[in-house]
Amino acid sequence: MTKHLHKNTKFLSLFHTNKSTIFTKASSFTATTAAPWNTHLRNLSKHGQYNEALILYRQMLQSGATPNAFTFPFALKSSASLSLPFTGKQLHCHVIKLGCESEPFVQTALISTYCRCKLTEFAQKVFDEMPQRNLTVCYNALISGYVQNGNFLNGFLLFSEMRLRGVLFNAVTVLGLVPGCTVPRYLWLGMSLHCLNVKCGLVNDLAITNCLLTMYVRCASMELARKLFDHIPEKGLITWNAMISGYAQNGLAGEVLELYHEMELLQVNPDAVTFVGVLSACANLGARKIGFEVEEKIRSSCMRFNVFLKNALLNMYARCGNLAKARIIFDEMPEKSLVSWTAIIGGYGIHGLGNIAVELFDKMIETGIQPDGTVFVSVLNACSHAGLTERGLNYLDLMKREYGLKPCSEHYSCVVDLLGRAGRLEEARKLIELMEDEPDGAVWGALLGACKIHKNVELAELAFHKVVELEPTNVGYYVLLSNIYTEANNSEGILRIRLMMRERKLKKDPGYSYFECKGKTYLFVAGDRSHPQTKEIYKFLNRLEDTESEYGGANKNGQEVTNQEPPNIIGVHSERLAIAFALLNTEIGTDILVIKNLRICNDCHSFVKRVSKIVDRLFVVRDATRFHHFRNGTCSCNDYW
């Protein structure tokens, strides 16, 4: 309300400004007829000069010209666009005084103005007082207003009333109503509207089709979205972007790149929205080559200064392992938004460089940028992976005390992980008990992961029972507890978990790793023998095992070995196969980046450390949660992951 009062005060002061000092054109209006004033009002409103339009309206009154029904829609639109409810009410009084309240386009403008000023009760009153409530345009204005103000059910009830009264609906009606169905609980209503549109022949309207497509995407109903997309005969760029963005937002990165490739084949020119979705997919998949190609296209276009694309590029390079390039992009940005800071802080965090991440966070605060919950998640996560326990706890306190932000599940899961990794399991458990909101699966899962690190079976069982109540189909938690039982030599516990998984028809996600070489991506699964170079890969792994033995390395069980037969590696994990392939197919000295869909296991982590000591290379492994940089027998995570 204070904001509106401030705007209204400014507007009223402008009303009293000498008319000759504002518009040179206005000073030449000597006629008392409304027509020339209306023409100028329309032009100002059309070009978004709303403040000037309202000043001109005041000058019109001062000149003695009388507004008419054609004057008010432009003045009301300007009032609505500037969110000036008091001014809108004044204009409403003028409408009534001059007897223009029965004109349909004036009624529509009044309804739209009140809705845009978040005064839907006034809009409903205008609608109720209409002598004839059979005008589609007035129904459309109020339906759209309800939906835009978050009251979808009132909008839908009004649409039902419209149908009962026999008032015809059109594309504008649908475009106003469908955006309210973009939450899963209203998806069934959206599907009903879709069916109605098909029945009435409106589904061929591309604007409606795009609106329905966006609805399915936001409800995470990607199968229905794709089915609709495939049946659109002529797809515009908006249609392609809706589908690409939908796949990206729902974590379907592979589908994003497939659709982008199809788009290229059809020679559809992408825009910034397209590239943001594609870069997000590249970040998730670690598809450096495609990301680099997209950057080249951005550089050669007029989009190279687009801040959203800069942030997307920064995030892509950080998550594809090229943190140096990400930092260059960040440093070159003339204006760094909160999104930019969040991306670079998160980038350093997942690479295990927590000290730099917290330095950047503190620098961001010094620049005067107000942090939000998302950037606190990034910095807390960075503290967790770098072992900065006290620093992380201070940030949680700062978040609540200094910035008045209420920690959510993501923040608590980071702090539980932070305490858990430091061995402070009892504190982590107490923190969960003190949470204002009910802890979700991520919070209990963080505690379960900490129990694995510190081999606390009793607390792990408590965390497991809590987490499977919340996420009964998340296979990862079953596997995690099974691994805890394995390390504790608890065969009964292992059997119990296997039986639970069998009863619930759950299967462990297959592990896979991939490596990008000479423009092609090579995928490996555990025990893979489908690759053309299978014999060379396994032979090379045997040689590595022999070399480790000569160096007095440790075998996969952590025991010291000397010269002996190499172990059976038929079931070797996918990252080992990818690393062997990379060593066979890249030049000496080339850095190797391998991306794995699951968390790297202890055995493979030890294996890569040993190989990095034998082979003078930088090995970077991106697993499900972070990057591991291996060189000279050590890892950037300091075995703390």
Side-chain angles (χ1 to χ4, degrees):
M1 181 58 74
T2 306
K3 182 179 178 182
H4 291 321
L5 285 173
H6 173 71
K7 287 186 176 180
N8 280 305
T9 303
K10 181 181 178 183
F11 171 62
L12 289 171
S13 66
L14 288 170
F15 261 13
H16 291 88
T17 305
N18 189 304
K19 64 184 178 182
S20 63
T21 64
I22 303 297
F23 293 104
T24 55
K25 281 190 177 181
S27 63
S28 63
F29 292 166
T30 55
T32 56
T33 58
W37 294 93
N38 290 349
T39 300
H40 196 37
L41 271 171
R42 181 186 63 198
N43 289 334
L44 289 171
S45 177
K46 182 180 178 181
H47 291 94
Q49 296 176 275
Y50 304 120
N51 207 46
E52 292 84 345
L54 291 176
I55 297 170
L56 184 65
Y57 176 77
R58 176 69 179 182
Q59 291 176 335
M60 179 183 181
L61 298 177
Q62 289 175 338
S63 72
T66 302
N68 59 25
F70 297 101
T71 310
F72 291 114
F74 307 123
L76 285 165
K77 178 185 176 182
S78 299
S79 173
S81 298
L82 294 171
S83 297
L84 299 173
F86 180 72
T87 304
K89 290 177 183 178
Q90 285 185 318
L91 289 168
H92 191 177
C93 291
H94 290 191
V95 167
I96 295 170
K97 184 177 180 181
L98 294 170
C100 298
E101 68 272 23
S102 62
E103 295 292 344
F105 43 90
V106 175
Q107 293 169 342
T108 305
L110 281 167
I111 292 169
S112 296
T113 298
Y114 282 127
C115 286
R116 291 188 66 178
C117 291
K118 303 186 184 303
L119 297 172
T120 50
E121 65 276 17
F122 287 92
Q124 182 70 59
K125 192 173 182 181
V126 172
F127 182 82
D128 291 340
E129 291 175 355
M130 288 166 51
Q132 291 183 327
R133 293 169 55 185
N134 59 356
L135 294 170
T136 300
V137 66
C138 293
Y139 271 100
N140 288 351
L142 189 53
I143 287 171
S144 177
Y146 272 128
V147 173
Q148 289 170 6
N149 283 281
N151 198 335
F152 169 70
L153 288 179
N154 273 9
F156 194 82
L157 289 172
L158 193 62
F159 175 69
S160 301
E161 177 191 311
M162 182 182 184
R163 298 277 290 154
L164 288 171
R165 287 177 175 270
V167 181
L168 296 175
F169 72 94
N170 56 22
V172 177
T173 320
V174 178
L175 291 171
L177 197 56
V178 171
C181 305
T182 54
V183 289
R185 69 178 181 273
Y186 293 140
L187 177 60
W188 66 278
L189 286 173
M191 294 173 70
S192 300
L193 286 170
H194 188 174
C195 293
L196 185 62
N197 289 328
V198 173
K199 184 179 178 181
C200 298
L202 289 173
V203 78
N204 295 321
D205 187 307
L206 188 58
I208 289 179
T209 306
N210 289 337
C211 193
L212 288 167
L213 184 62
T214 302
M215 174 197 74
Y216 286 126
V217 161
R218 290 185 179 173
C219 290
S221 185
M222 297 309 298
E223 288 185 13
L224 291 174
R226 186 56 190 256
K227 189 175 181 180
L228 175 60
F229 177 83
D230 289 339
H231 281 83
I232 299 172
E234 294 185 14
K235 303 174 182 69
L237 181 58
I238 292 173
T239 312
W240 286 95
N241 284 346
M243 200 68 219
I244 285 174
S245 299
Y247 275 138
Q249 290 161 14
N250 285 281
L252 300 170
E255 286 81 350
V256 171
L257 299 188
E258 284 179 14
L259 203 61
Y260 175 62
H261 181 61
E262 184 182 335
M263 189 177 174
E264 285 185 310
L265 291 175
L266 294 172
Q267 297 184 334
V268 180
N269 291 324
D271 65 0
V273 177
T274 318
F275 286 140
V276 167
V278 174
L279 288 169
S280 173
C282 292
N284 286 333
L285 290 174
R288 293 182 295 176
K289 181 177 179 292
I290 299 174
F292 179 74
E293 289 172 355
V294 168
E295 184 186 21
E296 290 298 302
K297 289 181 180 180
I298 292 170
R299 282 186 174 180
S300 61
S301 70
C302 59
M303 296 180 277
R304 61 186 180 276
F305 299 114
N306 186 302
V307 67
F308 297 104
L309 288 175
K310 288 286 186 184
N311 290 332
L313 281 167
L314 190 165
N315 181 59
M316 184 273 295
Y317 276 115
R319 291 183 59 80
C320 286
N322 195 341
L323 193 54
K325 177 68 174 177
R327 184 59 186 263
I328 289 170
I329 294 171
F330 176 79
D331 289 339
E332 288 178 348
M333 293 176 73
E335 291 186 16
K336 300 172 180 64
S337 67
L338 178 58
V339 176
S340 313
W341 286 98
T342 303
I344 196 66
I345 290 168
Y348 277 106
I350 61 174
H351 280 268
L353 300 171
N355 286 316
I356 299 177
V358 298
E359 285 176 12
L360 283 167
F361 180 81
D362 292 343
K363 186 176 180 181
M364 181 194 79
I365 299 296
E366 289 173 8
T367 61
I369 292 180
Q370 187 83 1
D372 65 357
T374 304
V375 75
F376 270 109
V377 169
S378 293
V379 75
L380 287 170
N381 188 55
C383 290
S384 175
H385 285 298
L388 302 173
T389 309
E390 294 304 323
R391 194 72 170 266
L393 293 173
N394 288 338
Y395 282 138
L396 181 68
D397 179 63
L398 182 74
M399 177 184 177
K400 295 184 287 187
R401 175 175 44 82
E402 192 73 21
Y403 298 102
L405 296 171
K406 181 183 176 182
C408 68
S409 169
E410 284 187 281
H411 302 104
Y412 280 113
S413 63
C414 286
V415 178
V416 168
D417 187 64
L418 180 83
L419 291 168
R421 289 175 185 274
R424 295 158 66 172
L425 297 178
E426 190 57 29
E427 286 182 62
R429 186 184 64 79
K430 286 181 179 178
L431 179 68
I432 295 174
E433 291 175 354
L434 293 172
M435 285 177 60
E436 293 180 28
D437 299 323
E438 193 69 24
D440 65 4
V443 175
W444 287 110
L447 183 61
L448 182 61
C451 290
K452 182 182 184 300
I453 295 172
H454 298 286
K455 299 177 173 56
N456 189 322
V457 178
E458 184 180 350
L459 189 55
E461 289 176 334
L462 169 66
F464 175 77
H465 288 304
K466 293 286 187 181
V467 78
V468 294
E469 285 178 10
L470 299 164
E471 299 181 27
T473 60
N474 191 323
V475 180
Y477 297 131
Y478 296 86
V479 174
L480 196 54
L481 184 60
S482 178
N483 291 338
I484 292 171
Y485 283 142
T486 300
E487 292 181 5
N489 295 316
N490 186 337
S491 56
E492 185 181 334
I494 297 170
L495 181 61
R496 190 164 59 248
I497 293 297
R498 287 178 181 173
L499 286 172
M500 286 179 69
M501 292 179 67
R502 191 177 303 164
E503 288 170 0
R504 300 178 186 189
K505 297 180 181 179
L506 300 175
K507 290 184 179 180
K508 180 181 176 181
D509 294 332
Y512 62 81
S513 299
Y514 50 91
F515 173 72
E516 201 174 87
C517 180
K518 299 175 183 177
K520 289 183 67 177
T521 300
Y522 297 88
L523 182 74
F524 299 89
V525 296
D528 199 344
R529 287 187 172 273
S530 62
H531 195 276
Q533 288 182 265
T534 291
K535 288 184 179 179
E536 292 89 343
I537 290 170
Y538 279 94
K539 186 177 179 181
F540 190 75
L541 280 173
N542 274 321
R543 284 174 54 199
L544 285 174
E545 293 284 353
D546 287 340
T547 307
E548 287 180 52
S549 299
E550 291 170 9
Y551 273 76
N555 67 12
K556 59 186 282 185
N557 296 315
Q559 300 167 335
E560 290 298 319
V561 296
T562 55
N563 294 324
Q564 62 178 34
E565 290 296 317
N568 185 348
I569 57 170
I570 292 175
V572 70
H573 285 179
S574 59
E575 56 267 50
R576 299 197 190 197
L577 297 172
I579 285 171
F581 171 80
L583 288 169
L584 286 169
N585 291 276
T586 56
E587 295 181 4
I588 295 173
T590 305
D591 295 347
I592 292 173
L593 171 65
V594 171
I595 297 177
K596 182 176 172 66
N597 68 320
L598 303 177
R599 183 178 181 270
I600 187 171
C601 69
N602 290 327
D603 288 343
C604 290
H605 192 268
S606 298
F607 168 79
V608 186
K609 281 169 62 178
R610 297 195 302 270
V611 172
S612 71
K613 190 173 183 179
I614 298 166
V615 182
D616 187 19
R617 300 273 197 114
L618 171 64
F619 296 89
V620 181
V621 178
R622 192 188 92 177
D623 69 7
T625 57
R626 63 176 302 156
F627 282 86
H628 300 263
H629 297 250
F630 300 90
R631 189 186 283 279
N632 297 325
T634 61
C635 178
S636 59
C637 74
N638 295 316
D639 300 333
Y640 194 90
W641 86 100

